[in-house]
Amino acid sequence: MSDINAMTATGLGPSGHHGEHGDLEVWPKEIAVGVVIGRVGEFFDFFVYGIASVIVFPALFFPNSSPYEGLFYSFAIFALGFVARLPGAVIFRVIHERYGRGAKLTTSLLLLGTATVVVAFLPGTAEIGAIAVVLLALLRIIQGLAVGGSWDGMPSLLAVSAPDDKRGTFAMISQIGGPLGFLVAAGMFAYLATSVKSSEFVDWGWRFAFFTAFAINVVTLFVRLRMSVTPEFEALFKARALQPSPLGELVREYRRDITLGAMVPLASYALFHLVTIVPLTWAILEPERYSLSEIFFLQIIGTFLCFASMVISGRVADKVGRARTMWYGAIAIAVFCLPAPILGNTVFGAQAFILSGFILLGFSQAQAAGAVNCCYDAAHRYSGALITNELGWVAGAAFAPLIALVLADMMGNGGVAIYLAVAAAASLYALRLNLKRIEFVETHEEQ
């Protein structure tokens, strides 16, 4: 039974649910607000740690290493947070089943906020030795576990609740939290890094960003609880069958979709770090050529270009479909790889790389969630989207800064371009195998 037929059978219209709680109504725009708020909080925390991994942690936790070695070790710890997300999703699934969505969200977001604020209090290696690195790695793993448990199903609910002729636009809405979170994090770090002396910034200035991340986590927790666990939303989740499904059954029936779904957004996930985190390494490795404040300024401009590109992507997807829009985005990223090595050889070229990369990132990532969500039937959409999303982040983003760092050192900018080209090829391959099925589901949803 299609989602639309299921809605008709349960008396659920496109804008709400009417049932045991009386006349309860939830509009897609209300769902969109919850999705954006949740994603902004998640990505702000994500980028606060990611930026600190470049401009703070190498000096604070690896002071006796070269700048390259410090970044290598810092990025290795950075990747642990992504690796821990899938186990976190499985662990918190048990809390969801036994105690409900509210208990799961409360536990995961408080755990995330606690781990984040403890990072802000960590002394460096100079004060307590190697135990500082161990504690940083442990806290990063805890962050990953908590993020994996913070999935509330709102993106999937938004995907199946969007108006038929605006599915691409509403899929885009669930992704704008990424650039919004980066905009706030980059702006805060740019201000802090330029307002205090370099030594003071490494010692204490950066910690304010982590305190802010904790405060935002608390705010988003209350907002998300206020929305997602109300009777209206709970009834809507049940009516749309957006509840955890048995993992064994999911893997048996959707093994191919999980694998291909995780591959579909690889191009955008790889580019995600190549324009946000990696350019900051240039100011650390080549400070005579690149200014940290200038890179932040370019990235902030790039964020606005990313917003505009996302809006365009949503409108294109409304007309040609989410899968084809991602296909166009992956092709554009593959083509972008051709001049990428040249762009990185000059300061002007680096600026062009950042700005062009943000435009491509916005267009391709805007539809990532929508294309993945529509691969599953209603009974498996909640767990399927969660598992596929986490696997995609691990495969495409977890090790991207580390890989880019190593390849740039070994092969120059051409090595990074090859890495991005491989990710784009993987996305195109997965889309080619799954394109007809996704288009069929999209068409079926609209009937």
Side-chain angles (χ1 to χ4, degrees):
M1 179 181 290
S2 71
D3 290 327
I4 299 298
N5 290 336
M7 288 159 52
T8 303
T10 57
L12 181 65
S15 61
H17 172 78
H18 303 271
E20 60 181 340
H21 298 286
D23 288 336
L24 302 176
E25 194 169 41
V26 178
W27 295 87
K29 290 182 180 180
E30 296 179 68
I31 304 172
V33 170
V35 172
V36 172
I37 291 173
R39 301 286 278 180
V40 168
E42 176 185 331
F43 276 102
F44 177 77
D45 188 278
F46 168 89
F47 281 119
V48 162
Y49 190 97
I51 294 172
S53 293
V54 180
I55 66 177
V56 177
F57 293 163
L60 187 64
F61 295 102
F62 309 102
N64 298 321
S65 301
S66 67
Y68 172 83
E69 291 172 338
L71 286 169
F72 181 91
Y73 298 139
S74 182
F75 284 158
I77 295 176
F78 175 71
L80 295 177
F82 290 91
V83 175
R85 284 172 62 158
L86 185 55
V90 175
I91 292 171
F92 278 91
R93 168 194 174 86
V94 177
I95 297 177
H96 187 166
E97 291 178 336
R98 294 186 179 181
Y99 304 104
R101 193 186 315 273
K104 185 189 79 163
L105 275 177
T106 301
T107 305
S108 62
L109 291 179
L110 286 180
L111 185 63
L112 175 62
T114 301
T116 299
V117 79
V118 172
V119 171
F121 286 106
L122 274 183
T125 302
E127 287 77 24
I128 61 175
I131 188 64
V133 177
V134 175
L135 291 175
L136 179 65
L138 178 61
L139 290 169
R140 182 58 179 163
I141 292 172
I142 293 174
Q143 284 184 320
L145 293 172
V147 170
S150 66
W151 172 263
D152 55 9
M154 295 287 280
S156 292
L157 184 60
L158 180 62
V160 299
S161 302
D164 293 342
D165 60 342
K166 296 292 183 181
R167 293 189 182 277
T169 296
F170 276 78
M172 173 272 297
I173 291 174
S174 70
Q175 298 296 325
I176 64 175
L180 272 174
F182 179 77
L183 177 64
V184 179
M188 178 171 292
F189 268 108
Y191 172 77
L192 292 172
T194 56
S195 298
V196 297
K197 296 179 180 179
S198 178
S199 58
E200 294 177 343
F201 174 74
V202 173
D203 184 35
W204 57 266
W206 63 275
R207 302 177 190 273
F208 285 100
F210 280 76
F211 295 142
T212 302
F214 172 76
I216 289 178
N217 275 324
V218 173
V219 172
T220 57
L221 168 62
F222 283 105
V223 173
R224 291 172 73 179
L225 286 176
R226 175 66 183 85
M227 297 188 69
S228 63
V229 301
T230 57
E232 294 91 339
F233 275 89
E234 286 290 355
L236 194 54
F237 275 116
K238 291 178 180 178
R240 296 295 176 87
L242 288 174
Q243 304 293 334
S245 56
L247 290 180
E249 175 184 305
L250 175 69
V251 173
R252 285 194 305 271
E253 296 187 15
Y254 288 93
R255 180 167 54 249
R256 179 179 182 274
D257 294 289
I258 291 173
T259 302
L260 293 178
M263 291 174 61
V264 164
L266 287 185
S268 61
Y269 285 174
L271 186 60
F272 185 83
H273 278 148
L274 294 184
V275 297
T276 56
I277 302 300
V278 171
L280 298 173
T281 66
W282 303 341
I284 304 300
L285 297 176
E286 300 182 73
E288 68 282 355
R289 294 183 64 191
Y290 302 102
S291 164
L292 185 62
S293 59
E294 290 177 359
I295 291 176
F296 272 133
F297 177 72
L298 279 170
Q299 289 179 322
I300 290 172
I301 294 177
T303 302
F304 288 101
L305 296 177
C306 185
F307 286 136
S309 183
M310 282 185 162
V311 173
I312 294 172
S313 177
R315 293 182 177 178
V316 171
D318 288 338
K319 295 183 179 297
V320 304
R322 290 161 284 184
R324 288 199 176 274
T325 303
M326 286 203 69
W327 175 269
Y328 299 149
I331 290 177
I333 291 174
V335 173
F336 174 68
C337 293
L338 298 176
I342 302 174
L343 291 178
N345 288 332
T346 65
V347 174
F348 175 78
Q351 295 170 349
F353 175 87
I354 293 173
L355 297 179
S356 301
F358 268 106
I359 293 172
L360 291 175
L361 175 66
F363 188 87
S364 60
Q365 188 159 2
Q367 300 304 316
V372 168
N373 279 329
C374 68
C375 290
Y376 303 95
D377 63 18
H380 296 89
R381 189 185 298 267
Y382 182 92
S383 294
L386 170 59
I387 299 300
T388 303
N389 179 67
E390 299 304 344
L391 284 176
W393 278 109
V394 172
F399 300 97
L402 187 61
I403 293 173
L405 180 71
V406 173
L407 289 178
D409 182 64
M410 294 174 57
M411 305 170 60
N413 295 321
V416 180
I418 292 173
Y419 166 64
L420 184 59
V422 170
S427 291
L428 289 171
Y429 175 75
L431 281 167
R432 180 177 178 274
L433 293 180
N434 230 22
L435 188 61
K436 290 184 178 179
R437 178 173 183 182
I438 295 176
E439 287 182 331
F440 172 79
V441 174
E442 287 181 325
T443 304
H444 193 58
E445 283 178 341
E446 295 171 4
Q447 290 177 350

